[in-house]
Amino acid sequence: MTTNKLLNAIGDFFDESKKKQRNKRKYLKEVLHKLKTKCKKQRNKLDNEKDKGKRDNLQKEIDIICAQRKKGLRKLKQMK
Amino acid sequence: MLKKIILPTILTVMAYGFWLSPNFKEIAAGVAIFLFGMLFLEEGFKAFTGGILEKILQKTTSSKWKSLGFGVVSTSLMQSSSLVSVITISFLSAGLINLAAGIGIIFGANLGTTTGAWLIAGLGMKVKISAYAMPMLVFGILLVFQKSKHLKGIGYILAGLGFLFLGIHYMKEGFEAFKDTIDLAQFAVSGYAGLFLFAGLGIAATVIMQSSHATLVIIITALSAHQITYDNALALAIGANVGTTITAILGSMSSNVQGKRLAGAHLIFNMVTGIIAIAFIYQIGDLVDIVSSTVGIAADDYTLKLAVFHTIFNTIGIVAMMPFIQHLVTFLNRVMPEKVISRAEPKYLHESAIELADTALESVRKETIHLYDNAFAIIAHGLSLHRHDIVSERNLKEVVSEPGKPLTIDMESEYDNNVKGLYSEIIEFISKANSTMTAEQSDELFLLRAAGQDIVEAIKDTKHMHNNLVLYIASDNQFIRKEYNKLRFGLGWVLRRLEEARADQEELEDILSMDLVKLKMKEHELEVNETIERLIREGSITAQMATSLMNDTSYAYDVAKDLVQMGEVLFAKGSYEQQAAERSVLLDEEEANEITQIQKMNNKTQ
């Protein structure tokens, strides 16, 4: 365990709110990462899709993922 | 009647005893302080049960040997097999572990608890532990007054240990002084008669104090003061082991049949172990001598030899019983069959879960899912759809357009019989459990309560549209029939998506895609409103039909919204923090509307 990690662990033990805040950031980052991956996947699907109806559905999904990501990034900034 | 007499009798006898002998008073005070220490210790460990214990439990109960190991380690750390067995019962009642895993833990707890005898005999009798007790008490109490939950927990544990040591000290002093006035050793009974008599005494003492640790400490202190013989001490230890099951039995009273089965397993294990120990007491005694001389324990160090005996006979019990765990499970399932619970009765809400916040939360989550299962059938039938069609892979458009008689269902009585009572039980449990929770856990509980409310609202809104739906899907007017089938398709699709989200093991994906469901429902509502105008203009439907359709479209949108909101809470996966992070990026109504507007504009420009 590095000194930094050890200090963080000790700090967390005595100050639960700090730990909670760090965990919140960590999990939000995880969600953002998953959304990014999902967005890329759906964009690839959209590029290869010819059917109009399916393309519309995929576009809708991408728009939602983008909006969710934007919202998440905004929240992450506020946490700093 | 007996209950009413027991306590006053015990109190009177003790008061008389105190008056007769100040040494007896000192010993009894030692036991009281020791038990008080146990209470503190339990309180301290409860501070750490919020999540940590549950996480370890999930990872360590996948096999019977792992469960056994968990029982040994947790009981050695907590120094209370009673606490471990009560926690295990509540986990089992809440459906967090299965019976075989629970039995494994209980077996392990029996071995883990023997470390207590080692501590008392090895440390308590050799070192002047009252010297350690004082600073522990001071530091412990100082920490108890701190705000941090963890520091408070450590404070309780330290103070608990301090009280334990202080209790042992008083008992030791009491027995030392007692020795000068009365020699209890003269009441020693030899042979099997003595074995049964002292085993019975051990059971009685443990049942009264509800702690085998307390009985053991009395046995060891009395033994070290030569107030009882070694043979009688062994019998007392066997009795204490059987008597300790009383806590598990009491703990299981408020739990479901699973908890009762576990308490049954605990009793069977300890009885069998006790019988084996009594039957082979002399052989085990020889084994103790061999082990003691191997590890370097003096032949006349009876207190440590008692600890060796305690460990050996519990190990023998485990070795004898482990191969029969599955048979034990089958036997207990047969002797204590699952009560046939009606759909409306709660399955997971038990008093035993209230004390442990995370277990209580899990119980509420599972019960609310049970509520949803009941509601699913009512909503599906209210839409004239069959559950099996919704959860199948059949094309929903084909399902809703199939000709046939609409399903008639008395939604009011279905709601009263299968939802209302269960929902009330959940609300009552939530209000009781809330008092023991942290702010974050209370937030989670609030979300679960809101999910229950969403389910109830969804049923009520379905009920509002049910009569019109039954009327119009059988109508001769193909236009109104088509529009109502669209509503059925929309809600059927939402129910299907929810089932997919529920079954999906991949974290996050499907809860986040609930926003897509919301968006589609909003689009659908807008689309229907436009269609209604066109249909009235063209004279395809009457004004009365149009009004009904408008109202019911709005109800359908509300049902979908309620169900999605519920799904976001009930079917989210991962830890509470992960779920909260997920929920924080979900779009609210305004944000979803914005996307709809943008897409509309894009469609127009294309």
Side-chain angles (χ1 to χ4, degrees):
Chain A
M1 194 184 266
T2 61
T3 322
N4 246 355
K5 269 189 181 174
L6 186 70
L7 284 176
N8 275 342
I10 296 169
D12 288 351
F13 197 82
F14 288 97
D15 188 355
E16 278 175 64
S17 59
K18 204 174 127 194
K19 183 186 174 186
K20 273 179 206 159
Q21 188 69 8
R22 207 181 30 247
N23 273 349
K24 260 188 185 175
R25 280 177 58 81
K26 185 182 131 195
Y27 290 121
L28 189 55
K29 275 184 184 171
E30 273 179 23
V31 174
L32 288 172
H33 179 72
K34 289 207 177 186
L35 285 171
K36 198 175 178 180
T37 320
K38 199 175 167 188
C39 190
K40 262 188 194 168
K41 207 169 113 188
Q42 299 308 87
R43 274 191 210 282
N44 282 341
K45 270 190 194 171
L46 183 71
D47 290 343
N48 299 320
E49 187 59 64
K50 299 274 182 295
D51 183 88
K52 168 92 171 57
K54 283 182 183 168
R55 279 184 68 85
D56 283 351
N57 269 340
L58 279 169
Q59 188 56 55
K60 244 175 235 164
E61 225 176 302
I62 292 167
D63 289 345
I64 289 171
I65 297 168
C66 285
Q68 286 173 336
R69 238 180 86 74
K70 255 189 204 167
K71 189 173 178 176
L73 285 169
R74 221 171 33 237
K75 291 210 174 230
L76 195 68
K77 258 187 192 168
Q78 283 166 2
M79 278 182 198
K80 273 180 184 172
Chain B
M1 183 65 192
L2 195 69
K3 260 187 186 173
K4 281 182 188 166
I5 301 171
I6 288 177
L7 187 65
T9 313
I10 292 175
L11 293 178
T12 316
V13 169
M14 290 196 92
Y16 183 64
F18 295 159
W19 180 65
L20 273 185
S21 159
N23 298 327
F24 174 61
K25 193 165 63 188
E26 199 168 355
I27 296 168
V31 176
I33 295 170
F34 185 88
L35 288 174
F36 187 66
M38 295 280 290
L39 288 179
F40 259 59
L41 213 55
E42 289 188 10
E43 195 61 40
F45 278 107
K46 272 184 193 165
F48 295 97
T49 54
I52 305 168
L53 200 62
E54 285 82 349
K55 272 180 210 156
I56 298 171
L57 198 71
Q58 275 166 359
K59 282 186 189 159
T60 52
T61 52
S62 51
S63 78
K64 62 181 179 185
W65 292 106
K66 278 187 185 174
S67 309
L68 185 84
F70 176 81
V72 175
V73 175
S74 58
T75 314
S76 303
L77 286 174
M78 295 190 199
Q79 282 301 304
S80 168
S81 63
S82 305
L83 179 64
V84 173
S85 49
V86 169
I87 290 176
T88 310
I89 286 171
S90 61
F91 284 164
L92 191 63
S93 301
L96 289 171
I97 52 171
N98 62 30
L99 184 60
I103 293 175
I105 296 174
I106 293 292
F107 284 8
N110 269 288
L111 189 59
T113 196
T114 63
T115 53
W118 284 97
L119 278 178
I120 302 161
L123 189 69
M125 295 302 125
K126 308 272 182 284
V127 188
K128 196 171 162 26
I129 49 169
S130 58
Y132 296 102
M134 305 299 172
M136 273 182 170
L137 284 174
V138 176
F139 291 130
I141 297 296
L142 270 176
L143 291 177
V144 164
F145 287 116
Q146 298 307 307
K147 258 189 183 172
S148 157
K149 194 179 148 194
H150 287 149
L151 286 179
K152 219 185 240 288
I154 292 176
Y156 272 114
I157 293 170
L158 263 182
L161 285 173
F163 282 122
L164 287 189
F165 287 176
L166 197 66
I168 294 173
H169 167 75
Y170 276 115
M171 278 185 254
K172 220 163 79 176
E173 298 271 298
F175 273 113
E176 290 289 335
F178 215 37
K179 200 167 58 176
D180 303 332
T181 50
I182 306 166
D183 184 13
L184 280 178
Q186 62 182 314
F187 298 108
V189 185
S190 58
Y192 272 99
L195 260 180
F196 286 111
L197 175 70
F198 278 86
L201 278 176
I203 294 176
T206 312
V207 167
I208 292 169
M209 294 187 285
Q210 285 198 34
S211 163
S212 60
H213 257 66
T215 313
L216 264 177
V217 77
I218 294 177
I219 301 167
I220 293 172
T221 41
L223 184 65
S224 72
H226 305 294
Q227 284 282 339
I228 48 171
T229 64
Y230 173 59
D231 286 346
N232 291 158
L234 298 187
L236 278 166
I238 296 168
N241 225 43
V242 177
T244 193
T245 51
I246 189 73
T247 325
I249 292 168
L250 289 175
S252 73
M253 295 222 173
S254 60
S255 74
N256 62 1
V257 70
Q258 287 282 57
K260 290 189 176 78
R261 284 175 186 158
L262 189 68
H266 197 1
L267 183 65
I268 291 171
F269 174 82
N270 290 37
M271 290 288 278
V272 169
T273 313
I275 291 166
I276 294 174
I278 288 177
F280 298 101
I281 185 106
Y282 299 111
Q283 288 84 345
I284 298 175
D286 293 340
L287 188 61
V288 169
D289 290 338
I290 297 167
V291 173
S292 300
S293 64
T294 315
V295 294
I297 296 170
D300 59 346
D301 192 346
Y302 291 117
T303 52
L304 270 180
K305 276 169 83 173
L306 181 73
V308 176
F309 172 78
H310 201 218
T311 307
I312 287 179
F313 95 81
N314 270 301
T315 311
I316 291 174
I318 290 173
V319 172
M321 296 288 288
M322 269 312 256
F324 303 106
I325 281 193
Q326 217 40 55
H327 296 281
L328 194 58
V329 170
T330 319
F331 169 73
L332 290 164
N333 286 346
R334 204 177 56 230
V335 177
M336 291 183 238
E338 192 103 38
K339 206 173 76 186
V340 181
I341 302 172
S342 85
R343 279 170 60 195
E345 271 184 74
K347 280 185 184 169
Y348 306 98
L349 306 180
H350 304 286
E351 294 281 329
S352 61
I354 287 180
E355 287 290 308
L356 300 163
D358 275 333
T359 316
L361 271 176
E362 199 50 34
S363 303
V364 174
R365 176 184 296 278
K366 289 202 163 165
E367 203 58 66
T368 313
I369 291 177
H370 176 208
L371 182 78
Y372 169 66
D373 282 332
N374 288 357
F376 187 106
I378 301 174
I379 294 171
H381 292 165
L383 297 169
S384 257
L385 290 170
H386 289 289
R387 187 191 166 93
H388 56 83
D389 283 329
I390 294 173
V391 296
S392 72
E393 287 184 3
R394 282 191 68 191
N395 186 330
L396 265 181
K397 275 196 177 139
E398 280 172 24
V399 173
V400 294
S401 37
E402 265 172 6
K405 245 176 122 185
L407 294 176
T408 45
I409 166 181
D410 183 352
M411 291 202 67
E412 188 74 50
S413 69
E414 283 284 327
Y415 169 74
D416 284 344
N417 295 337
N418 295 319
V419 173
K420 201 176 171 184
L422 188 56
Y423 180 55
S424 310
E425 297 260 8
I426 295 174
I427 294 293
E428 196 188 333
F429 186 87
I430 285 176
S431 58
K432 279 186 194 164
N434 202 8
S435 58
T436 60
M437 291 191 173
T438 62
E440 286 81 14
Q441 287 165 330
S442 277
D443 289 347
E444 188 65 29
L445 202 61
F446 176 77
L447 285 172
L448 288 169
R449 193 174 62 189
Q453 180 68 31
D454 287 332
I455 294 170
V456 170
E457 290 294 328
I459 297 175
K460 287 188 173 168
D461 286 332
T462 312
K463 194 180 87 184
H464 288 313
M465 55 193 276
H466 177 65
N467 287 345
N468 284 336
L469 193 131
V470 169
L471 181 73
Y472 291 127
I473 60 172
S475 164
D476 291 334
N477 183 324
Q478 55 161 323
F479 298 102
I480 193 74
R481 205 169 60 228
K482 192 177 162 196
E483 290 312 310
Y484 268 90
N485 277 340
K486 271 190 196 167
L487 291 185
R488 291 170 69 212
F489 167 76
L491 287 175
W493 180 74
V494 172
L495 287 170
R496 184 176 274 184
R497 289 299 300 245
L498 282 168
E499 282 303 299
E500 283 166 5
R502 179 179 174 174
D504 192 84
Q505 288 308 310
E506 242 180 87
E507 285 170 20
L508 299 163
E509 288 258 337
D510 272 281
I511 291 309
L512 289 170
S513 65
M514 280 295 127
D515 272 346
L516 181 67
V517 180
K518 277 189 226 165
L519 196 77
K520 286 207 169 184
M521 286 311 293
K522 189 77 210 163
E523 278 176 7
H524 186 253
E525 194 193 19
L526 294 173
E527 193 188 303
V528 170
N529 284 334
E530 280 168 16
T531 315
I532 291 172
E533 277 177 35
R534 183 174 52 81
L535 291 174
I536 298 177
R537 229 178 15 247
E538 291 170 357
S540 306
I541 57 171
T542 63
Q544 196 190 354
M545 285 175 179
T547 321
S548 299
L549 185 58
M550 272 194 290
N551 287 339
D552 292 334
T553 304
S554 166
Y555 283 135
Y557 178 68
D558 287 343
V559 173
K561 200 175 74 182
D562 288 333
L563 290 176
V564 168
Q565 270 172 196
M566 172 229 61
E568 285 167 359
V569 176
L570 286 191
F571 305 142
K573 316 246 170 18
S575 68
Y576 298 134
E577 285 152 319
Q578 280 171 313
Q579 291 177 21
E582 241 175 86
R583 280 195 289 266
S584 73
V585 299
L586 287 173
L587 306 180
D588 57 32
E589 214 168 335
E590 209 177 302
E591 288 160 339
N593 283 345
E594 247 173 59
I595 295 183
T596 317
Q597 295 302 330
I598 293 168
Q599 280 175 350
K600 250 186 160 183
M601 272 164 43
N602 287 346
N603 285 344
K604 272 182 191 168
T605 50
Q606 271 173 17

